[in-house]
Amino acid sequence: RSVTEGYWRLYAAHLQVQAVNAVLPLARESVRIESLRLSADRSIPADVARAQVQLDGFLRSETTVLGQMRKRSLQLRQLMGGDPQIIPLLLPSERPLEIAPPEDPAEFIQVALQNRPMLNQMRERVTEKHVLWGVANNRVLPSLDLRGEYWMNGLDSSLDSSFQQAASAKFTDWTLGFAVDVPIGNKTARSQRHIAELAIAREQLILAATEKQVSFEIAQLISDLQAAWQRMEITKRQAQETQEWMRVSQIRYTQPPAANTSQDWLLLALTDLQSAMRAYVDAIGNVGDAIADYSTLLADLQQAQGRGVYQW
């Protein structure tokens, strides 16, 4: 699950780098246009400085997101047991699963109760305690023994007569009997059985409480998935809107109509373009974070169900 989370954080970092790289040419173009307008006495140095400040801000953002991408690449290499090297950078190839979260957690809860390794381990402990209780219960029962003996008497007045008597097997003895052994009070065995019963009850209570906790955990994860899905949909819509805003703002600024070439109007167009570029970068960053959060929650849900190992 940690590798999965590290992968999607790296995926978000790549989206942010791509967003900054997409607006850098526009920022450089605005500086070039304002410099040309200044040389033609159509603007003032403050307008050029304004465009340059915006470009420097995006360049600073580029160094920040590149550093973040390298950092997350190293973190992912460490999680996968790789070498501590930055180059070549890890490039994400797996696309995010953009599937709507489930509405009813009942099915996922049942899967978790059957597959969760921790719950299966607890059930094994309950079975073990039942076996120990059976051993303790057997000690409470009476000890019944069956004993049998057989021998020949080779006893006579002389040694020869004794051997003959033993060889003829005319004088044999048989003994058969039963022996029942019950300690008085049987307190030790009863106490051990009571301890075994308490151990079973304790393990069963822990198992029931853990099952309830897992059920609430699955329900909480699905609730978080639903909220994360809504955030992801909103951020995607915002990214599309800011992209359209930036496209139109670029046209208005770089190709203004003849009636709108005054200094004040071009300054407003530059301000609008700069706002659109910044909003686009922020929107793409929000999309990457939302995708990483949603995909990580999906991995959390798989792990909570005990299916993460089988999936990956």
Side-chain angles (χ1 to χ4, degrees):
R1 192 205 62 82
S2 298
V3 172
T4 304
E5 180 180 1
Y7 175 86
W8 292 118
R9 296 301 174 190
L10 179 62
Y11 182 88
H14 273 277
L15 287 183
Q16 292 177 345
V17 171
Q18 293 173 4
V20 174
N21 290 335
V23 300
L24 276 176
L26 297 179
R28 290 191 175 96
E29 181 65 13
S30 65
V31 173
R32 188 185 70 85
I33 292 175
E34 289 302 318
S35 299
L36 292 175
R37 291 180 64 239
L38 177 63
S39 62
D41 294 331
R42 301 295 301 272
S43 66
I44 60 177
D47 296 338
V48 180
R50 179 190 185 95
Q52 187 64 48
V53 167
Q54 185 76 3
L55 175 60
D56 291 339
F58 285 124
L59 291 174
R60 186 176 64 253
S61 298
E62 182 186 29
T63 59
T64 301
V65 295
L66 283 174
Q68 189 70 17
M69 184 177 64
R70 289 192 291 266
K71 176 182 176 181
R72 291 176 177 176
S73 180
L74 284 173
Q75 290 174 346
L76 188 56
R77 286 184 186 275
Q78 183 179 8
L79 287 171
M80 296 189 301
D83 297 328
Q85 59 184 13
I86 298 177
I87 303 299
L89 287 173
L90 296 177
L91 300 177
S93 60
E94 183 86 7
R95 299 290 298 174
L97 296 176
E98 299 181 7
I99 54 176
E103 298 292 338
D104 187 11
E107 179 181 355
F108 293 86
I109 291 175
Q110 291 300 322
V111 173
L113 294 180
Q114 294 176 2
N115 295 337
R116 190 76 172 259
M118 178 178 58
L119 294 177
N120 292 329
Q121 184 180 11
M122 290 182 176
R123 295 188 184 101
E124 291 294 333
R125 284 206 297 265
V126 172
T127 303
E128 178 186 356
K129 297 301 180 183
H130 276 286
V131 174
L132 294 177
W133 176 86
V135 174
N137 186 59
N138 290 334
R139 293 173 180 171
V140 177
L141 301 177
S143 177
L144 179 61
D145 297 327
L146 173 63
R147 298 172 183 172
E149 295 179 355
Y150 166 77
W151 71 88
M152 292 182 297
N153 291 321
L155 301 176
D156 206 352
S157 57
S158 63
L159 183 61
D160 294 338
S161 300
S162 298
F163 278 114
Q164 292 176 1
Q165 191 180 82
S168 61
K170 293 181 179 180
F171 299 93
T172 59
D173 292 333
W174 292 82
T175 301
L176 183 65
F178 293 93
V180 177
D181 184 11
V182 181
I184 297 177
N186 208 9
K187 294 182 179 180
T188 301
R190 294 179 186 275
S191 298
Q192 291 176 348
R193 184 178 63 179
H194 184 60
I195 292 174
E197 291 173 352
L198 292 178
I200 292 176
R202 178 179 179 273
E203 293 295 336
Q204 288 176 339
L205 286 174
I206 294 176
L207 175 61
T210 307
E211 289 177 344
K212 183 68 68 175
Q213 180 183 356
V214 169
S215 301
F216 277 96
E217 181 182 351
I218 296 295
Q220 182 63 46
L221 281 173
I222 292 180
S223 176
D224 293 342
L225 276 171
Q226 294 171 353
W229 174 263
Q230 294 176 359
R231 289 194 301 270
M232 186 170 64
E233 291 295 306
I234 293 173
T235 55
K236 287 182 179 179
R237 186 167 61 250
Q238 286 179 336
Q240 294 175 354
E241 293 168 350
T242 54
Q243 187 176 15
E244 178 65 16
W245 176 20
M246 186 175 64
R247 185 185 69 83
V248 175
S249 298
Q250 180 187 4
I251 295 174
R252 288 175 178 174
Y253 177 68
T254 58
Q255 302 175 10
N260 295 325
T261 56
S262 64
Q263 179 177 347
D264 294 338
W265 192 93
L266 289 176
L267 180 60
L268 292 176
L270 175 61
T271 303
D272 184 64
L273 176 60
Q274 291 175 338
S275 300
M277 289 189 294
R278 176 54 60 186
Y280 174 75
V281 172
D282 294 340
I284 295 299
N286 292 334
V287 169
D289 292 338
I291 290 177
D293 292 340
Y294 185 76
S295 301
T296 301
L297 284 173
L298 285 177
D300 289 338
L301 181 61
Q302 293 291 332
Q303 182 186 15
Q305 294 180 93
R307 299 173 57 186
V309 174
Y310 304 107
Q311 180 187 9
W312 296 109

